[in-house]
Amino acid sequence: MQFRARILGAAAGGGLPQWNCGCENCRLARAGEIPSQTQSSLAVSADGENWAILNASPDIRAQLAATHELHPTGLRDMPLRSVLLTNGDIDHVAGLLTLREMQPFTLFATAGIHEVLAENPIFSALNPSVVTRANVALEAPAEIVPGLTATLFAVPGKVPLYMEGETVETDLVGEQTVGVELKTDTETVFYIPGCALLNDALRQRLRGASLIFFDGTLWRDDEMVRAGLGQKTGKRMGHMSMSGEDGSIAAFAGLEIGRKVFVHMNNTNPVLRPGSEERRAAEDAGWIIGQDGMEVTA
Ligand code: MLT
Ligand code: MN
Ligand code: ZN
C-alpha cells in the first residue's frame, strides 16, 4: 500500500481567479500569467484504485474531469468510494450537489457536520438509498478506502459563515472543524485545510508525520484588509496565517515533518505568484505550495 494524494483544488473559497475579484492575483490569473487554482479538495488512495475525496468543492465537476484516476471505469462504475468533510463551509460541501447522479458512495463526517447538511434540505438530492451518511466520532478511526483509515480530530475553528450568529467564536474546538489523520500500514499523513491556531496538543500530534497538507489561506492576517477587499482578518475567518511570529511557518519549525504542503490558499495570497518574495520565503522554510493537479506521495 502506497499513500497517494492528488490535489484537486488548491485554492480557498472563491478560487483563483474569484468571479468578482480584481485583485492583482486574480487579474494575473485571468491573463494567464500565473496558474489558476480551483477550490479546496484533495483525493487520496492507498491502492491507486479506490479513492476518497476530502471535501467536495463547488469545482468538483471540472476537478473530476481533469483527474484520470477518478474517471469512470465502466458504464456507471468509477473509483470514488467515499467523500469526507472537514467542515460545513460552502467551499467544502457545495460539490456534493454535483455528486447526485445515483452514484453509491459513503459520506463521512462528524455528527455535527452531518447535522448542518441535514438542516439544508437541498442535500437530500443525495439519495439516502445510494449515499450512506456515516457519522464519525472524533478520535475514532474509520476505513475510508481499502488500506486507508481516517481519524478526525478537533482543531480550533468556527461554524460555517452561513451559520454565524450575532457573536462568533473563531477558535471553537469541537465537531464543526476537524483535521484528518490518514494512516496506511506504514505512513501517517495529515490533512488540515482550516485551522485557527496550532496549539501544543496539535503540535505534539503532528510531530514526525510523513506528510502534511495545511491551511494556507493567507500570508498575513490583514492581507484582505490591506488589499482593500473588506474588513475580515484571517483570525476572524478562523484561519491562522503563514507568516509572522504566530504564523504556521513558525509554528511548524522543528516538528520534523517529512513534507509540508500548503493548501486552501486565498486568491490574495502572494505565494500564489511563482517568483514572489513570499513564495520564496515559504519554500526556503521547507514548504511546498500546493497547486491543482499536483500528485504527492508520502
Ligand atoms: C473559509 O474557509 O473561511 C470559508 O470557506 C469561507 C467561506 O465560506 O467563503
Ligand atoms: Mn474555506
Ligand atoms: Zn482576488
Side-chain angles (χ1 to χ4, degrees):
M1 294 278 177
Q2 156 83 65
F3 176 86
R4 283 176 66 191
R6 186 169 295 274
I7 298 178
L8 299 185
L16 173 70
Q18 177 175 310
W19 71 283
N20 64 342
C21 191
C23 81
E24 184 183 0
N25 284 355
C26 287
R27 283 188 284 113
L28 288 169
R30 263 182 219 106
E33 290 180 28
I34 61 174
S36 293
Q37 308 292 342
T38 61
Q39 295 168 85
S40 179
S41 183
L42 186 74
V44 294
S45 177
D47 62 6
E49 284 178 14
N50 297 284
W51 288 79
I53 290 182
L54 313 182
N55 291 321
S57 108
D59 298 319
I60 197 166
R61 180 180 170 280
Q63 292 169 342
L64 291 175
T67 308
H68 67 87
E69 293 92 338
L70 283 153
H71 288 174
T73 49
L75 268 182
R76 278 292 159 91
D77 297 322
M78 58 92 70
L80 178 68
R81 302 289 167 252
S82 61
V83 174
L84 182 152
L85 305 176
T86 62
N87 62 22
D89 284 357
I90 290 173
D91 56 346
H92 287 163
V93 304
L96 292 173
L97 299 176
T98 299
L99 304 180
R100 70 187 178 282
E101 315 288 357
M102 296 300 281
Q103 183 68 34
F105 63 91
T106 304
L107 180 57
F108 291 101
T110 63
I113 295 171
H114 275 302
E115 262 169 46
V116 173
L117 298 182
E119 283 173 24
N120 288 273
I122 195 167
F123 290 108
S124 53
L126 292 178
N127 188 324
S129 70
V130 178
V131 176
T132 306
R133 298 191 188 194
N135 280 339
V136 188
L138 296 178
E139 306 297 345
E143 188 171 50
I144 56 170
V145 282
L148 188 65
T149 63
T151 304
L152 306 184
F153 54 94
V155 302
K158 65 168 187 65
V159 297
L161 185 58
Y162 59 90
M163 307 267 298
E164 286 183 4
E166 293 260 305
T167 55
V168 182
E169 257 187 89
T170 55
D171 56 356
L172 280 176
V173 177
E175 288 203 341
Q176 76 294 328
T177 307
V178 299
V180 189
E181 182 175 301
L182 298 157
K183 275 187 185 283
T184 64
D185 43 12
T186 52
E187 294 132 345
T188 302
V189 175
F190 289 92
Y191 172 63
I192 310 175
C195 184
L197 174 76
L198 203 64
N199 56 32
D200 284 343
L202 273 177
R203 283 168 50 86
Q204 274 314 107
R205 176 166 214 147
L206 305 182
R207 183 177 289 282
S210 330
L211 167 65
I212 175 161
F213 296 89
F214 195 75
D215 184 347
T217 307
L218 298 179
W219 173 256
R220 51 182 290 165
D221 192 52
D222 60 355
E223 178 176 309
M224 291 173 62
V225 182
R226 287 159 67 102
L229 295 169
Q231 291 311 309
K232 276 198 183 164
T233 61
K235 289 200 175 89
R236 172 62 184 78
M237 296 191 295
H239 296 290
M240 67 191 288
S241 302
M242 295 180 176
S243 66
E245 273 173 25
D246 54 357
S248 48
I249 292 176
F252 274 91
L255 290 190
E256 288 163 26
I257 291 167
R259 260 189 291 174
K260 299 173 290 202
V261 184
F262 277 127
V263 291
H264 193 277
M265 268 87 62
N266 191 58
N267 54 67
T268 51
N269 194 322
V271 303
L272 288 168
R273 290 195 300 279
S276 69
E277 208 180 290
E278 293 85 354
R279 185 177 185 122
R280 236 183 348 262
E283 288 173 347
D284 286 349
W287 285 85
I288 295 167
I289 306 302
Q291 60 172 20
D292 286 18
M294 183 183 272
E295 175 158 6
V296 190
T297 50

